[in-house]
């Protein structure tokens, strides 16, 4: 009988493996699950040097899996930027910019965020931009909005980016003041990229700072019990940081990176084929550059998402505006076939049901071409009823982010542009009933926290896990707590191509698990989020302890 290095026992050990969903114990050797079963069965693996971990009345789950986040951006904001609570009003934001500016050289950039999307209409005039200029002492400022798709920039930042009344960036939307014709600094989607590029020309972050940002992002994820994640859009700097961490044995999570095909918001360079060509050099044992990322549309509050039915009428777009996709059928098919030929998967950003349908139509062609490449519809918040069964039929997974759909500023902004349709988002019950693979993600730092327990509770209650607002969103689409745990463990791992490595406590897989103070999903649904994480373990070693 093989001797274990670690044996874990407890009252409740949930495996996320349907063959043995709850066990009494499991054994670990060489960072892998050696065996699962009863205490007596695992005792057969005990040797003189075996470490015994009895968690008592606490609960053990597989390490949580986050199929969609931007770990390095979150780490960078915390360590090197002006971090703004998204609930702040304009005066409070300006006060913090002023405070930050006092500690900086005269020409230093102030970069940070997020600014609430509901503030953008009020920011779109020259007088407010001038208030930002005054607070910053004339320094270049760029603040990202909470969807991370849009920006607000100061006059000096616009000048350095070459954005004037006579020089408008291609792509996206630059908002001009109707009274004086000058750019207000509000920049939607790709219109903000020249500002990011101007910041990068000023020096940006060093390689060491990128490593620190990734390290910090992973540390935060570990503190919430997360041991596997997919970064939804990376640069060569982020790829290099992850590879550096893993090669120095500091990467405490499985990471799948998504290589940008197009870049509507980040301003990274290179992207597309040149980035894909570089990806393989950053592969390490725990870092896999196995996906590409395609932005197929934007976000509904900015009317840059693509819908089958038109947006609510407004003065700018009229009554028949549906939004647009960044690619047509042929271009999307060309890209997906190209990446499939390379053996890569594709994460496709779709926030409208029109863009989601386009993905499914192209996936149908890709499958008929004979390719089985993984395809994820990222966000999947709006899907036509007729399209829901197609996800299973075409083996397309739904990457969902229950952290951002209710309540808060984003759902409020959705209602303003979509009307009653905003109340029918995230059809998760229908997706599961149709047999689709539903994978959970946080979209952190678009969401304020990557706390998987918030996502679990939201999926079950369809209400705000933190009690910030009353009401529920489309309660018929609630799923069970057991299903929610699958969504944030084995389902998400499978969707990102790591189902054979992690996502469940199954013999042969990586010994990735989280110890919770209690069996969160067995108690009241509205108490799930209040369950403390006691410790997180990656490959059989403790990487976070609550102390």
């Amino acid at each position: 009988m093989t001797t274990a290095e670690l044996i874990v026992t407890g009252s409740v050990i949930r495996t996320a493996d349907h063959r043995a969903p709850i066990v009494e114990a499991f054994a670990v050797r060489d960072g892998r699950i050696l065996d699962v079963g009863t205490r007596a069965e695992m005792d057969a693996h005990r040797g003189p040097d075996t470490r015994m971990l009895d968690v008592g009345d606490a609960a053990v789950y597989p390490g949580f899996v986050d199929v969609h986040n931007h770990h390095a951006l979150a780490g960078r904001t915390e360590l090197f930027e002006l971090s703004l609570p998204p609930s702040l009003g304009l005066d409070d934001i300006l006060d913090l910019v002023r405070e930050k500016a006092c500690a900086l050289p005269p020409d230093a950039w102030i970069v940070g965020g997020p600014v609430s999307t509901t503030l953008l209409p009020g920011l779109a005039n020259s007088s407010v931009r001038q208030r930002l200029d005054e607070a910053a002492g004339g320094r270049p400022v760029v603040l990202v909005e909470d969807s991370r798709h849009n920006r607000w920039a100061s006059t000096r930042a616009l000048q350095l980016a070459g954005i004037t009344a006579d020089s408008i960036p291609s792509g996206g939307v630059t908002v001009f003041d109707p009274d004086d014709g000058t750019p207000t600094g509000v920049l939607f989607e790709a219109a903000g990229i020249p500002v990011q590029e101007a910041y990068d020309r000023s020096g940006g972050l060093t390689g060491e700072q990128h490593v620190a940002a990734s390290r910090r992002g992973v540390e935060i994820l570990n503190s919430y019990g997360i041991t596997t994640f997919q970064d939804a859009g990376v640069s060569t700097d982020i790829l290099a940081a992850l590879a550096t961490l893993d090669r120095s044995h500091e990467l405490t999570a499985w990471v799948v990176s998504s290589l940008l095909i197009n870049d509507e918001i980040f301003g990274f360079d290179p992207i597309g084929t040149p980035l894909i060509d570089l990806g393989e050099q950053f592969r390490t044992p725990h870092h896999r550059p196995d996906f590409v990322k395609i932005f197929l549309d934007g976000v509904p509050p900015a009317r840059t998402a693509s819908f089958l039915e038109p947006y609510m009428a407004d003065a700018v777009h009229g009554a028949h505006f549906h939004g647009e996709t960044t690619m047509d059928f042929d271009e999307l098919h060309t890209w997906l076939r190209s990446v499939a030929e390379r053996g890569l998967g594709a994460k496709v950003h779709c926030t409208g049901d029109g863009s989601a349908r386009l993905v499914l139509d192209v996936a149908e062609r890709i499958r008929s071409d004979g390719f089985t490449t993984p395809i994820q519809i990222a966000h999947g918040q709006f899907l036509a009823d007729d399209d829901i069964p197609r996800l299973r039929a075409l083996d397309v997974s739904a990457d969902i982010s229950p952290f951002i759909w209710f309540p808060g500023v984003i759902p409020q902004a959705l209602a303003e542009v979509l009307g009653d349709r905003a109340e029918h988002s995230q059809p998760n019950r229908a997706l599961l009933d149709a047999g689709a693979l539903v994978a959970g993600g946080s979209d952190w730092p678009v969401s304020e926290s990557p706390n998987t327990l918030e996502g679990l509770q939201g999926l079950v209650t369809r209400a705000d896990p933190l009690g910030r607002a009353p009401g529920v969103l489309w309660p018929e689409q609630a799923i069970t707590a057991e299903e929610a745990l699958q969504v944030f463990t084995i389902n998400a791992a499978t969707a990102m191509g790591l189902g054979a490595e992690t996502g469940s406590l199954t013999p042969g897989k990586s010994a990735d698990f989280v110890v919770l103070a209690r069996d969160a999903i067995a108690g009241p649904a509205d108490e799930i989020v209040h369950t403390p994480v006691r410790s997180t373990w990656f490959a059989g070693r403790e990487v976070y302890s609550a102390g």
Side-chain angles (χ1 to χ4, degrees):
M1 183 68 71
T2 305
T3 301
E5 295 166 353
L6 170 69
I7 293 177
V8 181
T9 58
S11 300
V12 178
I13 298 175
R14 294 186 179 272
T15 67
D17 185 334
H18 65 89
R19 293 167 294 188
I22 299 179
V23 298
E24 295 180 340
F26 62 92
V28 176
R29 184 175 178 85
D30 297 328
R32 298 271 168 174
I33 304 292
L34 175 63
D35 200 0
V36 301
T38 66
R39 291 172 183 258
E41 289 169 337
M42 294 308 101
D43 200 50
H45 295 288
R46 185 172 182 175
D49 297 322
T50 300
R51 177 182 179 184
M52 302 298 295
L53 175 64
D54 186 355
V55 303
D57 292 333
V60 178
Y61 292 177
F64 295 135
V65 183
D66 187 336
V67 79
H68 192 131
N69 70 40
H70 302 276
H71 82 288
L73 298 185
R76 185 179 75 189
T77 297
E78 178 174 310
L79 294 178
F80 306 116
E81 297 180 352
L82 176 61
S83 182
L84 302 174
S87 59
L88 292 183
L90 174 60
D91 290 342
D92 292 329
I93 292 170
L94 294 177
D95 286 344
L96 289 174
V97 169
R98 187 175 291 106
E99 179 182 331
K100 181 75 171 179
C102 289
L104 294 175
D107 58 348
W109 280 77
I110 299 174
V111 177
V115 173
S116 169
T117 191
T118 58
L119 287 181
L120 290 186
L123 303 180
N125 64 76
S126 297
S127 62
V128 176
R129 188 195 69 240
Q130 289 162 6
R131 291 184 63 192
L132 177 62
D133 297 340
E134 182 276 327
R139 294 170 179 82
V141 182
V142 59
L143 303 177
V144 70
E145 164 260 10
D146 54 21
S147 76
R148 307 279 163 165
H149 279 245
N150 310 308
R151 293 174 172 86
W152 182 39
S154 69
T155 299
R156 182 57 178 156
L158 294 173
Q159 291 171 345
L160 292 172
I163 299 174
T164 68
D166 301 317
S167 178
I168 304 172
S170 61
V173 174
T174 302
V175 180
F176 291 88
D177 189 308
D179 295 328
D180 62 19
T182 63
T184 63
V186 173
L187 306 165
F188 289 107
E189 304 288 344
I193 288 179
V195 177
Q196 179 65 42
E197 292 172 340
Y199 168 67
D200 291 339
R201 287 194 299 271
S202 75
L205 298 185
T206 66
E208 290 78 11
Q209 287 175 317
H210 280 291
V211 171
S214 275
R215 182 188 294 112
R216 182 58 185 148
V218 176
E219 287 173 353
I220 295 169
L221 292 167
N222 286 163
S223 75
Y224 289 105
I226 296 163
T227 56
T228 304
F229 65 91
Q230 182 169 354
D231 192 294
V234 297
S235 63
T236 51
D237 292 318
I238 296 171
L239 289 167
L242 289 166
T244 297
L245 288 173
D246 205 16
R247 288 167 182 154
S248 60
H249 307 290
E250 295 182 80
L251 184 58
T252 55
W254 294 95
V255 186
V256 172
S257 286
S258 309
L259 311 173
L260 290 165
I261 293 294
N262 59 348
D263 183 356
E264 299 299 302
I265 61 174
F266 297 118
F268 293 159
D269 182 45
I271 61 171
T273 300
L275 180 59
I276 295 172
D277 289 341
L278 293 171
E280 196 61 28
Q281 73 185 60
F282 301 106
R283 183 179 299 277
T284 58
H286 300 108
H287 172 230
R288 301 188 175 185
D290 283 349
F291 272 69
V292 302
K293 169 68 174 293
I294 295 174
F295 283 99
L296 197 56
D297 65 359
V299 290
R303 298 181 187 249
T304 51
S306 173
F307 282 91
L308 298 172
E309 298 297 326
Y311 286 92
M312 301 281 286
D314 74 343
V316 176
H317 302 89
H320 305 287
F321 183 68
H322 295 253
E324 300 174 344
T325 56
T326 63
M327 300 181 185
D328 61 18
F329 182 99
D330 290 337
E331 186 177 3
L332 182 59
H333 175 259
T334 296
W335 273 115
L336 289 187
R337 184 180 174 97
S338 172
V339 300
E341 289 170 345
R342 290 174 177 255
L344 301 175
K347 181 186 286 288
V348 188
H349 170 104
C350 303
T351 59
D353 56 9
S355 52
R357 175 164 291 180
L358 178 56
V359 171
L360 293 168
D361 289 346
V362 173
E364 190 169 0
R365 172 76 66 82
I366 291 292
R367 300 306 184 220
S368 68
D369 293 340
F371 293 103
T372 59
T373 187
I375 299 173
Q376 303 170 1
I377 289 180
H379 302 300
Q381 57 186 350
F382 293 102
L383 295 164
D385 290 343
D386 292 345
D387 285 334
I388 289 174
R390 300 178 70 197
L391 274 80
R392 179 183 181 182
L394 298 170
D395 193 21
V396 173
S397 58
D399 155 2
I400 63 167
S401 300
F403 296 72
I404 61 176
W405 45 250
F406 188 79
V409 295
I410 291 179
Q412 177 185 340
L414 289 175
E416 291 174 358
V417 298
L418 298 177
D420 292 343
R421 275 181 293 166
E423 299 175 8
H424 293 87
S425 65
Q426 291 273 348
N428 302 321
R429 175 78 270 154
L431 284 164
L432 288 178
D433 288 347
L437 181 64
V438 178
S442 65
D443 204 9
W444 177 61
V446 175
S447 64
E448 294 180 48
S449 158
N451 186 359
T452 297
L453 295 171
E454 289 186 30
L456 292 175
Q457 183 166 318
L459 288 172
V460 177
T461 66
R462 304 287 296 196
D464 175 22
L466 301 181
R468 295 162 295 186
V472 294
L473 177 67
W474 204 6
E476 294 83 1
Q477 293 298 326
I479 67 176
T480 70
E482 290 78 7
E483 289 170 330
L485 182 60
Q486 297 271 328
V487 164
F488 276 99
T489 54
I490 187 59
N491 286 15
T494 300
M496 66 177 76
L498 288 176
E501 294 283 1
T502 191
S504 65
L505 300 179
T506 301
K509 291 189 179 184
S510 184
D512 309 330
F513 59 95
V514 55
V515 180
L516 301 173
R518 62 181 179 84
D519 187 10
I521 68 171
D526 59 1
E527 291 294 324
I528 291 174
V529 74
H530 300 300
T531 307
V533 172
R534 288 190 173 173
S535 61
T536 304
W537 299 67
F538 175 69
R541 61 189 178 96
E542 190 174 36
V543 296
Y544 167 77
S545 174

